[in-house]
Amino acid sequence: MFRRLWPAAVATAAFAALAHAALVAVAARSFGLELAYIAVLSFVVALVVALIGGAVLLAIVGVLRLGLTSSLLLFLIAIQAVAIWLEFYFFELQNGWADISWQYGLISVPASLVAWHQSVFYIHKRA
């Protein structure tokens, strides 16, 4: 299962970087070199998180022998929790849950699906 870690992490990070840059472009109503910087930084952060988190998630799926539905739920819940934690960590939110940006859900939910599809589902389909 770990053979799919790198391709799944790269696909997830690429999606997250493009989605984040697109959301920033829509919010700022402009395109420019800053968008490229945002995309590259987002890709690097997402790749590190996806490699570490993906290894943990794949280990849990393997040890517990989770099926497709339960592994999908694990990916969705775990990646949402990590996204919320990163938002609190990087942006030092003061008002708790009220400060959580719904825009990150637009990135993290599909990113969860990409990560799961490129790893667990891909392996299940090939087996």
Side-chain angles (χ1 to χ4, degrees):
M1 197 174 289
F2 286 106
R3 285 178 272 152
R4 291 298 304 166
L5 180 60
W6 178 255
V10 170
T12 303
F15 172 81
L18 291 175
H20 190 221
L23 285 175
V24 170
V26 168
R29 294 188 183 110
S30 74
F31 296 93
L33 189 57
E34 296 86 13
L35 232 51
Y37 294 141
I38 290 169
V40 169
L41 182 60
S42 295
F43 178 80
V44 171
V45 170
L47 184 62
V48 169
V49 172
L51 284 170
I52 295 167
V56 171
L57 288 173
L58 289 175
I60 292 170
V61 168
V63 167
L64 298 178
R65 299 176 195 244
L66 298 178
L68 288 178
T69 305
S70 53
S71 64
L72 176 59
L73 289 173
L74 173 68
F75 270 66
L76 285 169
I77 293 168
I79 292 173
Q80 291 305 303
V82 168
I84 290 169
W85 178 80
L86 285 172
E87 190 173 0
F88 274 110
Y89 180 77
F90 283 127
F91 301 115
E92 298 177 5
L93 305 176
Q94 304 300 323
N95 297 326
W97 293 104
D99 284 341
I100 296 172
S101 172
W102 62 268
Q103 289 92 345
Y104 284 99
L106 293 175
I107 298 169
S108 59
V109 170
S112 303
L113 297 174
V114 169
W116 175 80
H117 184 269
Q118 292 298 310
S119 59
V120 177
F121 184 77
Y122 181 88
I123 292 165
H124 179 72
K125 188 172 64 172
R126 300 281 184 223

